[in-house]
Amino acid sequence: MPDNLIMFIAVPFGLIMAIYLSEYARPAVRETVKPALEMLEAVPTVVYGFFALLVMTPFLQNFIPGLKGINLLVPGIILGIMILPYVVSVSEDAMRAVPNSLREGGYALGMAKWQVATRIVIPGAFSGITAAFILGMSRAVGETMVLAVAAGQNPNLTWDPREGAATITAYIVQMSLGDVAYGTTAYESIFAVGLLLFVITLAFNVIGFYLRRKFREAY
Amino acid sequence: MVDDNMTLTKTNTAKVKAVEPDFDDEDTTPPIKPGKEREPLRARIEDFSFFYADGFQAIKNVDMPILDRKVTAIIGPSGCGKSTLLRSLNRMHDLYPGNRYEGRVILEPEGENLIGPESDPVIVRLRVGMVFQKPNPFPKTIYENVAAGLRVRGIKKRSMIDEAVENALRRAAIWDEVKDKLNGSAYDLSGGQQQRLCIARGLAPNPEILLLDEPTSALDPIATAKVEDLVQELSESVTIVIVTHNMQQAARVSHRTAFMYMGEMMEFGETQTIFTNPKHPRTENYITGRYG
């Protein structure tokens, strides 16, 4: 469930910010914003978690009826924001790798700036942008802290974003803290879910790196 | 002949050195302004100068007629400003801040000044198409590459676009090679095919002038020959301005030739006259291979 939310936040905002940085921003702006953005990647995720729990959730409770203190909606949004710097930075690199000769070709046909951005730069950088989102996504999926803090510890199979639920990683932490007996089904299950998590992130990474390699060979 | 040239060079060098010691060039004959054209014009470049953002004046007071449905070639040594002049004609310099034009580029028969403050660069580029030095197809299908210029003009009707795409590909003499793979990627074509595809892309929206910026410099001799044939064929239906550093190419494909040197247009005239009987000593030096 939060995965959909993550993409819902990360895709539009990530694309808009990347287009702005690569096509519209003056070099001076880009050179300040991009390192600042990359610095945001270094913020510890527990900070995002408490921001979700103590700031975003109470704020959104004013607007969304039935939103519990521990829920999936807010961490979904926060994770979307959390992967933005990475997504923007990698897609901006992909867009800047689109050769200027293609842009000039577009302008020479009478395209306006936004048309060059949407019709030439995005298709030209498409596989790179996809790779950025998939790699960002796999980061968010493997993320523990934000969800552990803001979505709770209760393994709960639900599609309702207002409820709380534990993620795979949170579940592993909880199970391995020592209160389950060695050899029980609950104990064995942490290896099963761990493997599942490993497979999911591996799949995301493989797809991401495959696309990234493909886009490097495009021109 | 060779001896004559040698003496000419020597005396001139001596003369220039006396006047301007760090300018070790051999000739100070002023540029010869183009004479009056009898044939119909598509555009007139008048007293045109161009300044890059750093203040460097790349084009100095150029006058040049562009004949309707003829090929006009611009030749000259590297860095003489020939590409800069060409790129001024469809306002490509406006993409980079700080560049400045002076003078007039009048598009006939309306008499509109393409570089005037009232003309919109985007509109100018809709009317004046361009093909670049290196083939630069878009990362799309062959069909979408040619259709791009039509879509920009807001044409949505599928049948109209289909027809215009086929027409443009036929005019660019590449239809037979790509008609079975219109939905394949443009990057699967060879370099020469890509360049003809780019010419088709430029032709599809029916521009009034088509600019070619050294269109064959990245191509092998066979692909070059094909593009040259194409240019000659196209000149029956569209006005073409071609920049080339290949003098034989200019001699083969063009009706008029302009010779540029250090941002000035030294001589302009019928191609045959320029190559057989140049009036300006610099033109003669260039076409006899003395520099460039």
Side-chain angles (χ1 to χ4, degrees):
Chain A
M1 186 62 220
D3 298 358
N4 302 333
L5 285 168
I6 293 167
M7 288 322 245
F8 199 68
I9 299 289
V11 171
F13 287 98
L15 266 185
I16 290 168
M17 286 164 77
I19 288 177
Y20 169 73
L21 280 183
S22 92
E23 304 301 308
Y24 287 86
R26 278 179 289 117
V29 174
R30 178 169 49 230
E31 256 119 67
T32 356
V33 170
K34 223 187 157 199
L37 214 55
E38 274 157 11
M39 212 114 95
L40 278 181
E41 285 181 50
V43 174
T45 53
V46 67
V47 174
Y48 284 106
F50 276 97
F51 180 74
L53 181 68
L54 301 175
V55 180
M56 279 295 272
T57 302
F59 176 71
L60 284 178
Q61 272 171 335
N62 297 333
F63 307 100
I64 302 168
L67 185 68
K68 298 186 174 157
I70 298 282
N71 60 67
L72 285 172
L73 175 71
V74 175
I77 296 171
I78 292 291
L79 279 178
I81 295 171
M82 195 190 85
I83 64 166
L84 262 185
Y86 180 77
V87 162
V88 170
S89 164
V90 176
S91 10
E92 198 259 355
D93 284 341
M95 289 181 189
R96 295 246 279 157
V98 172
N100 244 335
S101 63
L102 287 188
R103 289 192 185 85
E104 291 198 337
Y107 285 118
L109 284 176
M111 288 187 190
K113 198 162 194 166
W114 65 271
Q115 288 171 319
V116 170
T118 54
R119 296 181 193 195
I120 293 176
V121 176
I122 292 183
F126 187 75
S127 45
I129 294 169
T130 322
F133 281 108
I134 288 174
L135 293 175
M137 194 64 203
S138 73
R139 248 172 96 142
V141 168
E143 165 54 37
T144 314
M145 247 7 249
V146 174
L147 283 148
V149 171
Q153 309 274 330
N154 179 25
N156 177 10
L157 192 65
T158 177
W159 289 103
D160 184 350
R162 295 171 302 176
E163 302 235 353
T167 59
I168 292 173
T169 43
Y171 178 78
I172 295 174
V173 172
Q174 198 183 7
M175 287 293 116
S176 60
L177 283 177
D179 49 1
V180 284
Y182 177 80
T184 59
T185 317
Y187 178 82
E188 303 289 353
S189 72
I190 65 175
F191 295 99
V193 295
L195 185 68
L196 181 66
L197 178 66
F198 174 74
V199 170
I200 292 172
T201 35
L202 181 73
F204 274 127
N205 276 296
V206 167
I207 298 169
F209 279 111
Y210 168 74
L211 287 172
R212 208 139 83 140
R213 215 188 53 221
K214 202 175 150 218
F215 108 85
R216 287 225 170 104
E217 292 167 355
Y219 324 109
Chain B
M1 182 70 192
V2 174
D3 277 321
D4 275 351
N5 266 335
M6 295 300 285
T7 34
L8 185 73
T9 315
K10 264 183 206 148
T11 46
N12 279 335
T13 313
K15 207 197 299 170
V16 173
K17 272 191 175 144
V19 185
E20 223 176 329
D22 36 334
F23 189 68
D24 70 332
D25 239 315
E26 68 271 28
D27 184 88
T28 47
T29 317
I32 302 168
K33 292 285 174 191
K36 193 124 181 77
E37 282 289 347
R38 284 184 306 275
E39 302 198 42
L41 296 186
R42 183 82 251 187
R44 277 180 289 132
I45 300 172
E46 290 175 347
D47 197 24
F48 178 77
S49 299
F50 176 77
F51 302 83
Y52 276 110
D54 58 6
F56 173 69
Q57 182 173 10
I59 311 275
K60 293 165 191 157
N61 307 88
V62 163
D63 289 283
M64 182 178 135
I66 294 169
L67 274 65
D68 189 32
R69 277 167 290 160
K70 290 275 187 282
V71 179
T72 306
I74 306 175
I75 60 170
S78 305
C80 69
K82 53 193 192 301
S83 282
T84 307
L85 177 62
L86 193 79
R87 289 164 63 90
S88 305
L89 299 180
N90 71 343
R91 304 278 299 260
M92 288 307 274
H93 297 300
D94 289 47
L95 299 177
Y96 308 99
N99 298 334
R100 190 158 57 83
Y101 309 95
E102 266 174 24
R104 288 170 303 282
V105 178
I106 309 284
L107 196 63
E108 299 286 7
E110 302 93 327
E112 189 191 329
N113 183 6
L114 292 184
I115 56 165
E118 69 287 344
S119 81
D120 179 352
V122 172
I123 307 290
V124 170
R125 293 185 206 119
L126 289 174
R127 304 177 66 175
V128 183
M130 184 166 194
V131 175
F132 296 81
Q133 206 167 57
K134 258 176 60 189
N136 59 347
F138 301 143
K140 298 181 178 193
T141 64
I142 292 168
Y143 180 93
E144 282 303 323
N145 260 281
V146 185
L150 303 159
R151 296 201 195 281
V152 171
R153 286 156 178 80
I155 299 172
K156 292 211 172 67
K157 220 170 135 198
R158 183 81 192 186
S159 59
M160 264 176 85
I161 296 181
D162 280 345
E163 200 188 312
V165 167
E166 180 177 339
N167 193 9
L169 288 169
R170 279 190 194 283
R171 285 174 78 190
I174 193 182
W175 172 252
D176 290 332
E177 290 157 70
V178 301
K179 65 181 174 204
D180 297 326
K181 45 181 175 181
L182 287 177
N183 290 319
S185 166
Y187 288 118
D188 294 337
L189 299 175
S190 72
Q193 289 175 322
Q194 286 186 10
Q195 192 62 304
R196 278 178 289 145
L197 177 68
C198 291
I199 293 175
R201 186 176 72 192
L203 285 172
N206 263 323
E208 292 163 52
I209 302 178
L210 188 63
L211 309 173
L212 305 175
D213 187 2
E214 298 188 22
T216 62
S217 64
L219 305 183
D220 63 68
I222 294 167
T224 299
K226 282 190 178 167
V227 169
E228 285 182 10
D229 288 346
L230 176 60
V231 168
Q232 284 189 303
E233 259 169 56
L234 285 175
S235 69
E236 287 162 20
S237 55
V238 62
T239 304
I240 292 177
V241 185
I242 181 171
V243 160
T244 176
H245 55 225
N246 178 339
M247 281 177 279
Q248 287 76 24
Q249 182 169 70
R252 280 192 297 263
V253 303
S254 71
H255 303 94
R256 292 288 184 277
T257 296
F259 172 68
M260 288 190 71
Y261 185 82
M262 307 261 293
E264 289 182 288
M265 180 151 300
M266 289 301 175
E267 192 172 351
F268 177 91
E270 276 184 38
T271 299
Q272 222 193 338
T273 320
I274 295 278
F275 281 99
T276 54
N277 187 19
K279 292 188 186 64
H280 197 284
R282 277 196 195 283
T283 318
E284 182 166 351
N285 283 348
Y286 182 67
I287 62 172
T288 51
R290 205 164 295 273
Y291 52 65

